[in-house]
Amino acid sequence: MRYFTKEWYELSQRTSFHLLLEEESQAETFSEAYFQQLYSAELNKWLHLHEEVASIMQANGTNEPFNKDKETKQFYESIIYNQEHLKKSLPETILNQIADLRVFALNKATRDVINTVSQFCEDNKRSVDTTIDNYRKYHTEASLSMDREIVDNFRFHDCRIIKSILNDKSITLLLDNTGGFTDIDELIFENVTIIKQDAGLENSWWLYEEVYKVNDKYEFHMLLQNQDTGLINFIISAEQAFFRRLGSDVD
């Protein structure tokens, strides 16, 4: 990937930490009593919301009854996950300004911390958006020399790769496009050379793609994400790509 790199994607995940933050002067110093009070209040909100949702869903016959113990555990686990995510995502300079990360994970912070985090996220978003704009400019010009079918169809954001089949010089990807923005469910690359493949492709989510024309062949760059192996770069050279939907060829 030349534009939508792993580093770029990780940066794109660090653009919204400030959105739910609420100013709270008590977040300025560490206080176990304040944390326990805040945790209890937020837990009660969580339980009330999920009880209401469960009641509505159960009335429609589409959900299990509300389970307080289960939801209490889920709330606890979500806060622990948030704390670990924040430790990995925020720079040390910001973490050092936060008196209690548990309180921050519950979306409470001082005005100074909110301002600092907001600046951090906004700077990241500008950088992320600049990369998107740069790729769009490149693609608009480069697409004039590419096959129309590739320009129109090589975009599979939020699709999942069900199966990858390597057959002689071709690679076939079978896709679950339920969450995507396409009705294509099979992608075939012909006369393929694998340039880079960080890990297996099956059960990976398709995040972003790039395409280049190199010496009368195409380079297809794909950024994928797998629950077990993380972010995956998959880059191949191919003479052509074919797209199929509902058993019929697009190209």
Side-chain angles (χ1 to χ4, degrees), residues 114-219:
I114 291 175
N115 290 342
T116 302
V117 173
S118 296
Q119 187 65 55
F120 171 74
C121 292
E122 289 163 4
D123 288 346
N124 290 345
K125 189 174 189 308
R126 275 191 292 272
S127 180
V128 167
D129 289 346
T130 296
T131 298
I132 293 173
D133 290 342
N134 288 341
Y135 180 73
R136 284 176 176 166
K137 290 175 184 175
Y138 152 76
H139 191 262
T140 298
E141 182 176 346
S143 62
L144 298 175
S145 62
M146 297 179 184
D147 287 354
R148 192 74 241 168
E149 290 80 4
I150 290 175
V151 173
D152 291 342
N153 295 304
F154 186 63
R155 52 187 71 189
F156 297 99
H157 183 69
D158 280 351
C159 292
R160 183 172 63 89
I161 298 177
I162 301 171
K163 192 171 184 179
S164 170
I165 304 169
L166 178 61
N167 184 11
D168 194 18
K169 279 289 188 176
S170 72
I171 292 178
T172 299
L173 301 180
L174 304 182
L175 305 172
D176 174 4
N177 57 27
T178 305
F181 305 90
T182 179
D183 58 355
I184 294 169
D185 48 25
E186 188 172 335
L187 173 57
I188 303 169
F189 300 103
E190 291 290 351
N191 196 12
V192 169
T193 299
I194 297 177
I195 298 173
K196 185 173 185 179
Q197 182 177 341
D198 294 337
L201 307 180
E202 294 183 4
N203 292 317
S204 295
W205 291 94
W206 191 300
L207 298 178
Y208 293 94
E209 66 280 315
E210 301 169 6
V211 60
Y212 302 92
K213 197 77 178 288
V214 181
N215 298 328
D216 296 325
K217 297 183 75 174
Y218 289 97
E219 272 191 18

Side-chain angles (χ1 to χ4, degrees), residues 35-90:
F35 167 70
Q36 293 297 338
Q37 174 191 340
L38 177 62
Y39 185 92
S40 178
E42 294 300 320
L43 172 60
N44 286 334
K45 290 179 186 177
W46 172 282
L47 293 175
H48 180 68
L49 173 63
H50 284 78
E51 185 174 16
E52 284 190 338
V53 172
S55 297
I56 294 171
M57 298 295 286
Q58 193 175 8
N60 295 328
T62 57
N63 199 32
E64 297 179 359
F66 173 71
N67 186 319
K68 182 178 180 180
D69 290 340
K70 180 181 177 181
E71 292 299 337
T72 299
K73 180 181 178 183
Q74 187 172 342
F75 178 77
Y76 170 78
E77 290 175 347
S78 71
I79 298 304
I80 295 299
Y81 173 83
N82 286 345
Q83 290 180 59
E84 294 304 313
H85 181 57
L86 290 166
K87 287 179 184 178
K88 296 176 183 177
S89 302
L90 292 176

